Amino acid sequence: MKKTQRSDSRAAGFPPWRGAPVALLWDQSMVWGLICVETLNRLGVSHHVLGASDVAAGALGGYHTLLVPGGWASHKVKSLEGAGKERIGEFIAAGGSYLGFCGGAGLALSSPPALGLVPIGRMPVSERLPSASGGVWIRSETAHPAWKDLPQTIPVSIWWPSQFQWQATAESMCLASYWKAGNDFCVADLTVTDMENEAVPWPRWERSYGINLDPGRLLGHPAIVEVRRGRGRLVLSYPHLETPGDFWGNRLFHNLLVFLDLEASRDSGLKSPPEAPAARFSAPPGREALRLLQRARESAEALIEFGERHLFWRWRTDWLLNWRRGIRGLEYGSMAVALRSLFAEASRCPGIPDDPDPWEEPAGRLESQVRSFCTLARRLLLEEKRAAQNCVLTKLGSIDKTVDELRGRLFGRRMDHGGVCRDLFDGVDDLLLQALRLNGQPG
């Protein structure tokens, strides 16, 4: 991520934020948490970054709004465990607001793995569009305060969302539906405008790819929904309204935060916002810890350059890769972006390092994990390149003994990554949280 200034919202053309600090659930978000923080900073919205352990300990009691970024809902569920799930349910029932993007939206659904906060499930993979990304237009479906001063249709971004198994109830409403594809809207590795300009029949491509590709499976379906629960409410958005540079999406994001804060503040049971949680480390990393974090970042950057040389991927934005079909790409790019951001945040933490330095041991462990991961990843990528000469490469399922073994060690056997990748991401996740807290959270 690019370094952003912690400025007030006037720099982005928004009125100054006058609401309570927003509680941002950090765990298992990685790059999606980083873009959330970047956009909140640019909009001048005060926020505190909370871990799942803070939530389980009752930290939500003083907030009006809980913001949950993207990321695998299954990993978020595990991090919250029983106590965290109960605290979030109690928070909403007592009048609190919940805003979830993509995986954060999925976390609230009734289809497992999820917290079951709303009576809405996920559409089965066999029915939905499973691999859509990029720009898409959404249309307002109701006269809602979130659409104040916005056109009826706006362009936003989606990044491989699920879809709602939608059924309107007295407690729920659709705030926006998908309207039409944007210029860079993709299904799998196919740019939709190119396909439509050439009048290519989607069924033929679906038979070849073995997945749903027709954008018609998405267009017209709910993109953003609101659900009442007790005295509180949830807004669930599969579009990533926090995507940096999305002018209209960011405006809708800001309007939603204003609306949710106002609604929650009307409940007298909500207390005054607490102080931001303290970092576990009381001082910045020392020279050796920074050197280790720099080496971890350099290892990840070298892996990305390796992939570029072999035409596995290219940068789609400065925080997201565009990768070849059949290989992992999100995990590699997320690791590189998160380590880049970790080193940047750690380098500017204020104060004088402690002696002994509590950062040194986890930084050393992370550097070793990244180095081992990158070594195995190079082997896997070359084996996948070889295998692709003889078969259609898919992310899941058996390819051959070597590829299967390397994939299992690095990522496990599921789309929601496990293996070495999961352990590595947990380490980055924790150190990023500590660095963000040491650098101060706008309040």
Side-chain angles (χ1 to χ4, degrees):
M1 301 297 296
K2 293 180 179 177
K3 183 178 178 181
T4 57
Q5 298 296 319
R6 286 175 164 82
S7 59
D8 66 32
S9 56
R10 288 171 293 182
F14 293 89
W17 176 258
R18 302 189 186 282
V22 172
L24 189 152
L25 180 61
W26 179 256
D27 294 57
Q28 303 301 322
S29 296
M30 293 290 284
V31 71
W32 310 114
L34 288 168
I35 66 172
C36 245
V37 168
E38 176 177 330
T39 300
L40 288 171
N41 286 337
R42 189 174 59 81
L43 300 180
V45 175
S46 61
H47 58 281
H48 295 161
V49 182
L50 304 186
S53 59
D54 300 313
V55 172
L60 288 179
Y63 293 94
H64 291 168
T65 303
L66 172 63
L67 171 60
V68 186
W72 288 103
S74 57
H75 293 332
K76 295 179 187 293
V77 169
K78 290 177 183 176
S79 70
L80 288 164
E81 296 180 339
K85 174 182 177 179
E86 291 177 8
R87 298 293 88 77
I88 290 176
E90 293 166 357
F91 166 75
I92 298 168
S97 296
Y98 179 112
L99 175 58
F101 291 133
C102 204
L107 179 67
L109 299 181
S110 60
S111 302
L115 299 183
L117 300 174
V118 299
I120 301 172
R122 292 182 188 85
M123 184 180 292
V125 176
S126 60
E127 298 177 21
R128 68 177 187 247
L129 191 64
S131 57
S133 65
V136 64
W137 288 72
I138 60 173
R139 176 163 52 188
S140 166
E141 295 293 341
T142 181
H144 191 277
W147 288 91
K148 179 183 178 182
D149 299 327
L150 298 181
Q152 185 182 14
T153 59
I154 62 171
V156 296
S157 294
I158 58 174
W159 305 112
W160 309 281
S162 182
Q163 287 176 246
F164 299 114
Q165 187 74 59
W166 176 248
Q167 183 175 0
T169 68
E171 292 76 31
S172 63
M173 70 172 73
C174 175
L175 301 188
S177 62
Y178 296 109
W179 184 45
K180 67 177 183 178
N183 290 335
D184 67 336
F185 182 64
C186 296
V187 289
D189 57 354
L190 305 171
T191 302
V192 168
T193 52
D194 290 342
M195 305 295 287
E196 292 178 340
N197 289 341
E198 299 301 322
V200 175
W202 286 111
R204 190 174 75 182
W205 284 85
E206 289 179 336
R207 286 193 296 272
S208 177
Y209 273 53
I211 58 173
N212 296 329
L213 297 171
D214 186 349
R217 291 183 177 273
L218 182 71
L219 304 182
H221 286 254
I224 307 173
V225 302
E226 179 185 331
V227 184
R228 293 297 305 268
R229 176 186 168 109
R231 295 201 299 269
R233 69 189 67 222
L234 303 92
V235 173
L236 310 179
S237 173
Y238 275 122
H240 278 272
L241 305 180
E242 83 287 20
T243 297
D246 275 14
F247 176 79
W248 291 110
N250 291 174
R251 291 192 72 88
L252 180 54
F253 180 22
H254 187 272
N255 282 0
L256 281 169
L257 288 174
V258 171
F259 164 72
L260 292 172
D261 178 81
L262 180 62
E263 290 299 308
S265 68
R266 290 173 176 163
D267 192 302
S268 59
L270 294 173
K271 299 175 288 187
S272 299
E275 296 294 322
R280 188 172 72 253
F281 303 141
S282 60
R287 182 177 300 176
E288 177 60 16
L290 285 176
R291 185 185 69 83
L292 290 165
L293 294 179
Q294 182 176 10
R295 286 178 56 180
R297 183 200 69 183
E298 290 170 348
S299 293
E301 289 174 348
L303 176 63
I304 297 302
E305 292 169 0
F306 173 88
E308 289 176 316
R309 289 196 301 274
H310 286 271
L311 306 181
F312 291 120
W313 50 61
R314 60 178 175 81
W315 286 107
R316 186 170 183 171
T317 70
D318 64 354
W319 52 273
L320 184 67
L321 288 176
N322 192 20
W323 57 93
R324 284 173 55 176
R325 182 169 175 260
I327 66 168
R328 300 266 182 167
L330 183 59
E331 290 84 359
Y332 298 125
S334 295
M335 177 186 67
V337 170
L339 288 169
R340 183 199 316 162
S341 297
L342 172 57
F343 180 72
E345 289 287 343
S347 296
R348 67 185 191 88
C349 287
I352 300 172
D354 285 334
D355 186 19
D357 181 4
W359 286 82
E360 193 169 322
E361 190 275 331
R365 183 170 63 251
L366 178 62
E367 190 275 334
S368 178
Q369 287 177 320
V370 172
R371 189 158 27 87
S372 298
F373 178 90
C374 291
T375 298
L376 288 173
R378 282 187 177 86
R379 288 176 53 196
L380 172 60
L381 288 165
L382 289 177
E383 289 292 339
E384 288 174 325
K385 188 173 186 177
R386 175 195 55 78
Q389 308 306 309
N390 303 310
C391 69
V392 176
L393 208 62
T394 58
K395 289 190 180 111
L396 298 179
S398 180
I399 302 298
D400 62 39
K401 182 178 180 181
T402 303
V403 170
D404 296 350
E405 191 273 334
L406 287 168
R407 284 180 169 183
R409 288 176 64 185
L410 282 167
F411 302 111
R413 304 296 179 186
R414 298 165 54 92
M415 282 298 294
D416 55 346
H417 55 267
V420 177
C421 183
R422 174 65 190 275
D423 293 338
L424 190 159
F425 278 18
D426 285 347
V428 179
D429 213 35
D430 179 62
L431 291 181
L432 264 170
L433 175 61
Q434 307 313 318
L436 287 168
R437 285 182 170 176
L438 278 177
N439 284 328
Q441 304 174 76

